[in-house]
Amino acid sequence: MTTKTASRGSKVRKARNLRGLIASLDLGGTYIKAALVNRNGEIVIRERCSTEAGLGSRHVVKRLISTVHHLCSATEVSVDTLLGVGVGCAGPLNPSEGIVYHSPNLPGWSRVPIKAWMEESLELPVAIENDANAWALGEYLFGAGRGTRNMVCLTLGTGVGGGIVVDGRLVHGAKGLAAEFGHMTINTRGARCKCGNRGCLEVYASAAGVCRAMRRLLRKGVRTKVKSLMANNPKGLTSKVVAQAARQGDKPAQEALAEVGRYLGVGIANIANIFNPEMIVLGGAVAGAGRFLIEPARDESKRRAFPGVIQNLKIVRAKLGGDAALLGAAAPFLENTP
Ligand SMILES: [Zn+2]
């Protein structure tokens, strides 16, 4: 296989606690993000390389394996001393069988036995996890959710996903497909979602949802800083531009985010009534709008959920960024974790 080591960037953050490391891989459609993690959940070394997804599943799995070797050689750690390898990947997938059924960002993937292929080559235990679940587990163990026992994470980005921790355990569901929060119906007569349903949370609380709400105001001819920010942005209208304008005091941008926040609040009320979590953690690019999104969401959820479940519910932003998925994928090999 070809391994473009020259294109890899790796950096040893701190050369300590090198015993009992776990290799952690976040497999995306464009990049593989990888790290060695110690038993305290600290990242010892990290690197990123291109996935080369177009070359097929066997090639990508070989790249995952070579990335583990590369991390170990850069740290002067023997591969056979690793406690295990955790892989986070967009699903649907089955963590117990170690099979990725298919993956939206990995063309041609169909029932790929990623765990078996990697275990055979590395002679180490391998655990796979849905990337949104890995992200939630990372935030639960080491980020915003630290200290809670019941927590729900929501990622608001291109899509809307999440993960559920109940009584300290990640909820997978019968087929490992739980926590598809993006596809809970928020508006029975709403716009069509990519999944085929109408009015899913993802239609409203995703980056496209923010743009749609803003576009509606632009069509009404409102005066807004978004227009000049769009002109200076090569990508035009984005959820980031709307958040930027809102932070600059632009009322229409704030109203667009408030509308998204109200739909998000409907979703949060449903989640709160079902799971009664202590905390809801919001991550992803759309959550970058901060209070302009969270406050309307909190108000709307208070109007809809049982007082007992909503009174003490904390709605906070995620803390770990991209590291959450890496730490969560390593979790099966960390001590005292779910
Ligand atoms: Zn949907």
Side-chain angles (χ1 to χ4, degrees), residues 181-311:
F181 293 120
H183 303 285
M184 94 169 85
T185 303
I186 293 296
N187 179 356
T188 53
R189 296 181 185 176
R192 188 72 74 184
C193 176
K194 280 182 283 186
C195 74
N197 186 23
R198 278 188 184 280
C200 294
L201 181 62
E202 184 166 300
V203 171
Y204 302 100
S206 58
V210 172
C211 294
R212 189 181 302 109
M214 190 67 227
R215 229 176 271 121
R216 203 173 305 123
L217 295 171
L218 287 167
R219 274 200 299 271
K220 285 184 184 167
V222 295
R223 283 165 61 91
T224 165
K225 284 184 184 173
V226 167
K227 280 187 192 167
S228 57
L229 291 170
M230 275 166 70
N232 296 330
N233 185 324
K235 289 182 179 164
L237 182 59
T238 63
S239 62
K240 266 189 183 164
V241 160
V242 180
Q244 194 184 347
R247 277 192 293 273
Q248 292 174 9
D250 186 79
K251 294 282 180 233
Q254 290 174 3
E255 176 44 35
L257 289 169
E259 186 189 314
V260 171
R262 288 191 290 273
Y263 282 113
L264 179 61
V266 178
I268 286 174
N270 293 340
I271 292 167
N273 277 345
I274 297 167
F275 295 107
N276 184 201
E278 294 154 67
M279 182 182 279
I280 291 188
V281 179
L282 303 176
V286 175
R291 67 189 170 93
F292 298 109
L293 185 81
I294 294 176
E295 284 174 14
R298 200 190 309 270
D299 291 345
E300 188 67 32
S301 61
K302 277 186 180 157
R303 276 194 282 275
R304 291 174 180 272
F306 281 171
V309 303
I310 211 76
Q311 260 158 13

Side-chain angles (χ1 to χ4, degrees), residues 21-303:
L21 296 175
I22 300 133
S24 187
L25 301 153
D26 182 5
L27 171 58
T30 311
Y31 294 110
I32 295 165
K33 289 184 212 155
L36 292 183
V37 176
N38 69 21
R39 279 186 281 194
N40 303 323
E42 294 167 329
I43 289 177
V44 171
I45 182 174
R46 66 173 77 232
E47 71 170 55
R48 192 180 81 164
C49 63
S50 60
T51 306
E52 299 181 353
L55 296 175
S57 56
R58 285 208 175 261
H59 177 82
V60 172
V61 173
K62 279 182 185 172
R63 275 186 85 64
L64 292 174
I65 292 163
S66 78
T67 300
V68 173
H69 284 289
H70 191 262
L71 285 168
C72 287
S73 64
T75 330
E76 295 178 5
V77 164
S78 171
V79 172
D80 60 13
T81 67
L82 295 180
L83 297 176
V85 180
V87 183
C89 174
L93 54 78
N94 186 320
S96 54
E97 290 179 341
I99 291 171
V100 178
Y101 295 127
H102 56 92
S103 189
N105 307 322
L106 300 165
W109 279 47
S110 175
R111 295 192 65 84
V112 176
I114 185 168
K115 174 180 158 78
W117 286 355
M118 290 184 74
E119 285 185 342
E120 194 177 278
S121 169
L122 290 166
E123 296 181 339
L124 286 168
V126 173
I128 71 166
E129 186 56 86
N130 170 285
D131 56 357
N133 280 344
W135 179 83
L137 205 45
E139 284 290 340
Y140 170 70
L141 293 169
F142 304 108
R146 207 168 185 164
T148 66
R149 293 278 294 161
N150 292 276
M151 181 207 76
V152 168
C153 278
L154 277 170
T155 47
L156 314 170
T158 310
V160 170
I164 306 160
V165 176
V166 171
D167 296 333
R169 298 192 72 83
L170 195 62
V171 174
H172 285 106
K175 298 268 181 186
L177 304 177
E180 285 292 349
F181 293 120
H183 303 285
M184 94 169 85
T185 303
I186 293 296
N187 179 356
T188 53
R189 296 181 185 176
R192 188 72 74 184
C193 176
K194 280 182 283 186
C195 74
N197 186 23
R198 278 188 184 280
C200 294
L201 181 62
E202 184 166 300
V203 171
Y204 302 100
S206 58
V210 172
C211 294
R212 189 181 302 109
M214 190 67 227
R215 229 176 271 121
R216 203 173 305 123
L217 295 171
L218 287 167
R219 274 200 299 271
K220 285 184 184 167
V222 295
R223 283 165 61 91
T224 165
K225 284 184 184 173
V226 167
K227 280 187 192 167
S228 57
L229 291 170
M230 275 166 70
N232 296 330
N233 185 324
K235 289 182 179 164
L237 182 59
T238 63
S239 62
K240 266 189 183 164
V241 160
V242 180
Q244 194 184 347
R247 277 192 293 273
Q248 292 174 9
D250 186 79
K251 294 282 180 233
Q254 290 174 3
E255 176 44 35
L257 289 169
E259 186 189 314
V260 171
R262 288 191 290 273
Y263 282 113
L264 179 61
V266 178
I268 286 174
N270 293 340
I271 292 167
N273 277 345
I274 297 167
F275 295 107
N276 184 201
E278 294 154 67
M279 182 182 279
I280 291 188
V281 179
L282 303 176
V286 175
R291 67 189 170 93
F292 298 109
L293 185 81
I294 294 176
E295 284 174 14
R298 200 190 309 270
D299 291 345
E300 188 67 32
S301 61
K302 277 186 180 157
R303 276 194 282 275

